[in-house]
Every structure is written in structure tokens, then in C-alpha cells.
Amino acid sequence: MNSAAVQKAPKAAKRSSSADQLLEAASKILAQRNSIDVSLSEIAEASGLNSALIKYHFGSKDGLLVALVRRDATLALKKLDDLVAMQLAPETKVRLHIAGVINTYTKYPYLNRLIHVLLTNSNEKLAREIADFFVKPLVDSQKKILEEGVAAGIFRNVDPMFFYYAIVGACDHIFFGRVSREFVFGAPVITSKTRENYIEFVADMALKSLRRE
């Protein structure tokens, strides 16, 4: 390795590290709030870095938020691809898929709301980027699981759009409804037991709607 390459490597690592710091700071702020509103100054302060680095790494706050969605969703989408490829019963795949979605929202409770805001409030190019990266692959994987169930004579035909919104909405709303959880149900914190029970409840509800009569 020549000396120029040696000199460049630490700089590249430093750039990557500062970008990761900014993403992690934004993630922690959003996870602590019942909102996806966050300012550049808040992200910079929480990261210990200059806010100018946000523009340097991501171009804008929207660019940072898109990068955050990509960071948070990439592993979840990979796991879903792996699940679809497994030799498992379609009903088992539905249960594991719902568990994966709820566990992802447990770690990143802001993720679905952030995706929704970027899809609806951003420019068309940004919205299409989010749709192509996250929504379409998720829907395609869900459709494959549904089609397997229909082919096996286990599931009835259902509209993939209805299934997508029903599952994502059910999995997300318990995290979104932080105020109602606390003041109505007395559950400000989602414990591991609550999470496991909710996974079972949503999965049972979904499978009852899918099974052939």
C-alpha cells in the first residue's frame, strides 16, 4: 500500500464515523419522542458534532432521515428475504414476519412514522426513493408468502394492499400510541412480555383473516 492510500484511510474512516454518529444521534432523539420532529441543531448537539457535517454527509435533513431509514430497514428487509426463501409453512412465515416487524419497531419505534412522512411530505423523487427501497420490497415479500398459502390451499385470496396496511398499521400503532398506552391502559412502557403477547395477538388475528373457511 502506498503512502497516499495510508493517509486517505483514516480520513475515510473519520468521515464514516461522523456520519454514523449523526445517524445514531437522530435515532436516539426520535426514539425518545412521540414525534418525528427533530432539528439539525438538536442532532448536532446530541452527536457532539458541527451541524455543517449534516449537509456535508447527507445534503440536508431529509437526506439524513432517508439515510436513517436505509440504516434501520436494511437488516429487516434482508431477514424478510431470508424468511421468504425458507422451507416453512406459510402460516409460520406470517407469524415470523409479524414478529420481525414488531421487533423492528421495538428497536426503532419511529420508523413507520418517519417513512410515512417522507412518502407524503417530501418531493416526488425522495418519496419514490423510499417507496422503491422499502415499501415495494416489503410488499413483494408479503405477496410471495400470501401466494404460497393460497397455492397450498391454506389461505384465501386477499388483497395484498389490504394485508400490507393492516399488518404494518397493527404492528406500529402500539408504539405510536404512547400517550393512550400510558393514560388509558396504564402501560407507558412496552415490556418484553407485552411485546411477545402482542406478536401472538396480531399473528392470530392475521391468520384468522387469511385462512380458508
Side-chain angles (χ1 to χ4, degrees), residues 7-188:
Q7 290 174 355
K8 288 180 180 179
K11 292 182 179 180
K14 186 174 181 180
R15 284 197 297 271
S16 176
S17 176
S18 59
D20 290 342
Q21 283 179 251
L22 291 165
L23 290 174
E24 187 60 23
S27 178
K28 287 181 177 178
I29 293 170
L30 294 177
Q32 290 167 358
R33 297 180 176 179
N34 198 36
S35 166
I36 54 96
D37 289 331
V38 61
S39 68
L40 298 183
S41 59
E42 287 175 315
I43 295 171
E45 182 178 357
S47 68
L49 299 172
N50 192 302
S51 60
L53 284 172
I54 295 174
K55 185 173 183 180
Y56 173 72
H57 286 298
F58 307 106
S60 64
K61 187 174 81 170
D62 278 351
L64 181 146
L65 295 177
V66 170
L68 184 60
V69 168
R70 284 186 173 275
R71 189 203 72 167
D72 294 348
T74 294
L75 180 58
L77 290 174
K78 174 63 169 59
K79 287 182 176 180
L80 181 55
D81 282 343
D82 293 342
L83 174 63
V84 171
M86 291 179 183
Q87 297 299 311
L88 297 172
E91 289 180 314
T92 302
K93 289 185 179 182
V94 169
R95 286 190 179 277
L96 291 174
H97 169 48
I98 288 169
V101 175
I102 290 175
N103 288 331
T104 297
Y105 291 158
T106 299
K107 188 173 184 180
Y108 308 118
Y110 54 82
L111 182 57
N112 190 51
R113 276 167 286 160
L114 180 55
I115 289 170
H116 178 74
V117 167
L118 289 172
L119 284 171
T120 56
N121 294 350
S122 302
N123 60 61
E124 184 177 346
K125 180 180 179 182
L126 198 57
R128 187 173 295 278
E129 181 181 346
I130 293 294
D132 289 343
F133 165 71
F134 182 76
V135 181
K136 287 182 180 179
L138 175 55
V139 171
D140 287 345
S141 293
Q142 288 181 336
K143 285 173 65 176
K144 289 175 183 176
I145 295 173
L146 294 176
E147 288 166 358
E148 286 181 17
V150 171
I154 299 169
F155 296 163
R156 64 187 181 90
N157 278 302
V158 298
D159 190 318
M161 181 176 72
F162 295 168
F163 183 78
Y164 166 77
Y165 287 117
I167 296 304
V168 171
C171 290
D172 170 67
H173 201 69
I174 193 171
F175 299 97
F176 174 73
R178 185 182 299 176
V179 174
S180 59
R181 282 203 330 266
E182 180 174 0
F183 296 120
V184 178
F185 300 105

